[in-house]
Amino acid sequence: GARAPFRSVNANVGSVVFRRNGDGTVESAAIEPGFRMELKGGAEITGGVRAAYESVRAAFDLDDGVSVPAGDYWFRDANLRYMAARSASFRPTASVSIGQFFDGRLVSVSATPAWNPSRHLELGIDYACNAIRFLDRGQSADIHLARMRIQTAYDVHLSLATFVQYNSAADLASVNARLRYNFREGNDLWIVYNETMNTERPLMGLRPPFSQARALLVKYTYTFTW
């Protein structure tokens, strides 16, 4: 007969509980049975279902006009994720999660493809969309998070990694660039540039500055051996 297309299948159960330091009551808890399937080509498929508990003592905002009221919540969801083989030059990875979210519902979709056009360069894009609906309260939000990754390595000594990220909920874009030069084992020079920019700047009224924060850092490490 036909041989199975997968190399191995594993089942697992994870759980976590967080308690408040003040009175020891449970603040957050979850249990998640799941599976992991490794295909013969090296790709992986993982998935599971989750039952979660959240104790919210103070309401908090998720987006403009969208909030989670104080209360105790039990909710459940299911997730599925595909990750391409690490040996492939083009590695598409995607995941989806559907289920309850506090007193509403959430559909979350993400994709993180990566491509190595050469041994010196890796390009990647991370994108996630979270569609949140609180139908009983008439509130909804679509939150987008996108990030672009560029990583280059001239040789084992010199490398550069650049990340550009956008968050629609916070109306912020950020840049992080890290240049590393390795003189020898335990001897490195780092130059790091970070900047956070406001993307929501209305023409009328009070306008936030274009740059919210900017920093240039230089770090040198030397390891003494004797």
Side-chain angles (χ1 to χ4, degrees):
R3 300 181 63 182
F6 49 84
R7 184 178 299 166
S8 63
V9 178
N10 300 311
N12 57 77
V13 178
S15 63
V16 62
V17 177
F18 295 98
R19 295 183 178 273
R20 297 183 175 93
N21 292 329
D23 55 14
T25 58
V26 175
E27 182 176 28
S28 178
I31 182 169
E32 183 174 0
F35 71 92
R36 174 181 174 271
M37 179 187 300
E38 183 180 358
L39 305 182
K40 288 185 177 180
E44 290 183 5
I45 298 176
T46 59
V49 294
R50 181 180 65 127
Y53 168 79
E54 294 287 345
S55 174
V56 180
R57 289 187 173 178
F60 63 92
D61 294 331
L62 295 172
D63 200 359
D64 292 338
V66 180
S67 61
V68 174
D72 295 330
Y73 300 93
W74 277 101
F75 50 94
R76 294 165 295 280
D77 58 31
N79 63 84
L80 186 67
R81 181 173 186 261
Y82 170 82
M83 184 171 65
R86 294 179 177 87
S87 59
S89 60
F90 178 68
R91 301 179 301 281
T93 296
S95 64
V96 60
S97 176
I98 302 174
Q100 300 168 320
F101 183 68
F102 294 96
D103 59 333
R105 300 192 66 82
L106 168 67
V107 176
S108 179
V109 179
S110 68
T112 58
W115 178 43
N116 289 98
S118 76
R119 63 187 182 92
H120 299 288
L121 178 64
E122 178 176 298
L123 305 175
I125 296 176
D126 302 340
Y127 172 75
C129 176
N130 297 292
I132 303 170
R133 301 291 185 267
F134 298 109
L135 298 180
D136 292 342
R137 296 189 277 118
Q139 297 181 1
S140 64
D142 295 318
I143 300 174
H144 303 269
L145 181 64
R147 186 171 72 162
M148 180 175 64
R149 296 175 283 113
I150 303 174
Q151 301 183 77
T152 62
Y154 179 74
D155 53 26
V156 296
H157 299 287
L158 181 63
S159 61
L160 173 67
T162 304
F163 303 89
V164 180
Q165 180 171 293
Y166 169 71
N167 187 328
S168 67
D171 291 317
L172 293 175
S174 60
V175 177
N176 172 263
R178 292 174 288 178
L179 177 69
R180 173 181 179 251
Y181 186 79
N182 171 250
F183 296 92
R184 62 184 64 88
E185 184 69 25
N187 190 2
D188 297 287
L189 173 66
W190 295 85
I191 300 177
V192 181
Y193 173 77
N194 291 309
E195 184 167 8
T196 301
M197 295 153 284
N198 293 294
T199 60
E200 182 66 25
R201 304 178 71 232
L203 296 177
M204 304 296 292
L206 184 63
R207 299 181 68 193
F210 175 73
S211 179
Q212 187 178 89
R214 182 184 298 135
L216 179 64
L217 309 173
V218 178
K219 177 183 177 182
Y220 177 76
T221 62
Y222 185 87
T223 302
F224 293 93
T225 58
W226 49 65

